[in-house]
C-alpha cells in the first residue's frame, strides 16, 4: 500500500503547501500515471464544487489532475479506475456516512489494499483510513451508519493533536479523552498527529513525517509516548 496521512491541510505557507514534498514523493511512488479522484464529502459548510476546485489548484503544480467523486456519474466505477484517491478533511461523521451510502468505503479500501491506487488523506480523510472513527475530534452531526471505517492502518489516528489547555477551560484535555479511549479499548494504539505532521505508509513500513512537534502514541491507560520523525514504533498490548 502507498498512503500519506496528514494531520492538516492548511498552514501559513498555503493550502497543502507544507506537505508538497511529501505529496510529490507519494504520487511518484505510484509509478503508474492517472487522475486523482477527490472525496469532498467531509465538507459541510463549504460547497463540494468549491472544495474540489481548491484541492485541484493545490495539486496541479505536482502534476495531479483532480476530479471529484461527487461529479462522477458512477462514483464507485470512478474509484475502481482511479490511480490516486484523495480524501479531504472536514466532519468525519459526514464523510464516513456519505462514503458508506455511496458504496465507496469498501471500493476505496479494496483498491488501496491491492496497491492499484494510492491514498492521500488529511484530518477526517486520515481518520477514515483507521479501523474506526472513534478517535476523531468531530461532533456527531449525522449518523454515519456505524463507526467502522477502512482499516488501512492497524491503529487509530487523532488529527490536530494538541496538549493545549486554555486557562479557565474546564473540559477534558485531548490527552484525557484519548486515555478514556484507552481504558475502554486497551489493545488499540492511537497516534496523535500535531499540526504539520503526517504518516507515510509504504507496504508494512510506516514513517513519521514533520518536525514541528513529536507525535504522541497512546496505548491503554499508560502515559503517551513521544516520537519524532522516523520509523513509527507503535506498541502492542
Amino acid at each position: 500500500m502507498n498512503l500519506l496521512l496528514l494531520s492538516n491541510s492548511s498552514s501559513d505557507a498555503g493550502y497543502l503547501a507544507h506537505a508538497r514534498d511529501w505529496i510529490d514523493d507519494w504520487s511518484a511512488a505510484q509509478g503508474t500515471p492517472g487522475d486523482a479522484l477527490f472525496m469532498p464529502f467531509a465538507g459541510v459548510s463549504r460547497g463540494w464544487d468549491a472544495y474540489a476546485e481548491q484541492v485541484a489548484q493545490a495539486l496541479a503544480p505536482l502534476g495531479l489532475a483532480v476530479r471529484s467523486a461527487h461529479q462522477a456519474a458512477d462514483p464507485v466505477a470512478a474509484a475502481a479506475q482511479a490511480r490516486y484517491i484523495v480524501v479531504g478533511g472536514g466532519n468525519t461523521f459526514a464523510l464516513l456516512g456519505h462514503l458508506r451510502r455511496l458504496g465507496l468505503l469498501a471500493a476505496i479500501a479494496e483498491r488501496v489494499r491491492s496497491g492499484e491506487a494510492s491514498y492521500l488523506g488529511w484530518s477526517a480523510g486520515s481518520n477514515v483510513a483507521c479501523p474506526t472513527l472513534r478517535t476523531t475530534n468531530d461532533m456527531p452531526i449525522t449518523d454515519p451508519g456505524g463507526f467502522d471505517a477502512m482499516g488501512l492502518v492497524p491503529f487509530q489516528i487523532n488529527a490536530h493533536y494538541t496538549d493545549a489547555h486554555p486557562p479557565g477551560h474546564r473540559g477534558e484535555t485531548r490527552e484525557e479523552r484519548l486515555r478514556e479511549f484507552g481504558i475502554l479499548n486497551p489493545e488499540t494504539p492511537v497516534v496523535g498527529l500535531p499540526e504539520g505532521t503526517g504518516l507515510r505508509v509504504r507496504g508494512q513500513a510506516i514513517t513519521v513525517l514533520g518536525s514541528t512537534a513529536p507525535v504522541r502514541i497512546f496505548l491503554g491507560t499508560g502515559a503517551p509516548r513521544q516520537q519524532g520523525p522516523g520509523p513509527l514504533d507503535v506498541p502492542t498490548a
Side-chain angles (χ1 to χ4, degrees), residues 29-113:
Q30 173 60 30
T32 304
D35 289 344
L37 184 66
F38 177 58
M39 305 292 153
F41 306 117
V44 177
S45 58
R46 71 173 101 184
W48 292 347
D49 287 343
Y51 196 0
E53 179 61 25
Q54 182 181 31
V55 172
Q57 290 181 6
L59 297 183
L62 301 177
L64 290 170
V66 175
R67 55 184 180 137
S68 184
H70 82 283
Q71 297 168 335
D74 186 340
V76 173
Q81 297 172 4
R83 292 294 181 185
Y84 304 94
I85 294 174
V86 180
V87 186
N91 185 277
T92 311
F93 291 88
L95 171 62
L96 185 60
H98 282 295
L99 292 177
R100 179 171 282 118
R101 286 188 288 273
L102 291 169
L104 286 166
L105 194 65
I108 292 172
E110 179 180 357
R111 185 81 173 157
V112 175
R113 285 197 185 96

Side-chain angles (χ1 to χ4, degrees), residues 1 3 85 108-119 152:
M1 294 193 300
L3 295 85
I85 294 174
I108 292 172
E110 179 180 357
R111 185 81 173 157
V112 175
R113 285 197 185 96
S114 72
E116 294 178 316
S118 296
Y119 184 101
L152 299 175

Side-chain angles (χ1 to χ4, degrees), residues 87-159:
V87 186
N91 185 277
T92 311
F93 291 88
L95 171 62
L96 185 60
H98 282 295
L99 292 177
R100 179 171 282 118
R101 286 188 288 273
L102 291 169
L104 286 166
L105 194 65
I108 292 172
E110 179 180 357
R111 185 81 173 157
V112 175
R113 285 197 185 96
S114 72
E116 294 178 316
S118 296
Y119 184 101
L120 166 62
W122 55 86
S123 191
S126 294
N127 289 140
V128 296
C130 300
T132 80
L133 57 53
R134 288 177 296 162
T135 53
T136 182
N137 303 310
D138 299 320
M139 187 174 289
I141 61 174
T142 187
D143 181 358
F147 285 0
D148 291 346
M150 296 184 196
L152 299 175
V153 292
F155 49 80
Q156 292 294 121
I157 288 173
N158 179 252

Side-chain angles (χ1 to χ4, degrees), residues 5 15 24 31 71 112 121-122 173 212 227:
L5 306 174
Y15 196 74
D24 198 26
Q71 297 168 335
V112 175
W122 55 86
T173 64
T212 55
Q227 183 186 330

Side-chain angles (χ1 to χ4, degrees), residues 13 34-35 58 80-81 100 122 124 174 179 199 218 225 231:
D35 289 344
Q81 297 172 4
R100 179 171 282 118
W122 55 86
R174 191 74 59 82
R179 284 197 182 192
L199 299 175
F218 296 80
R225 180 166 53 81

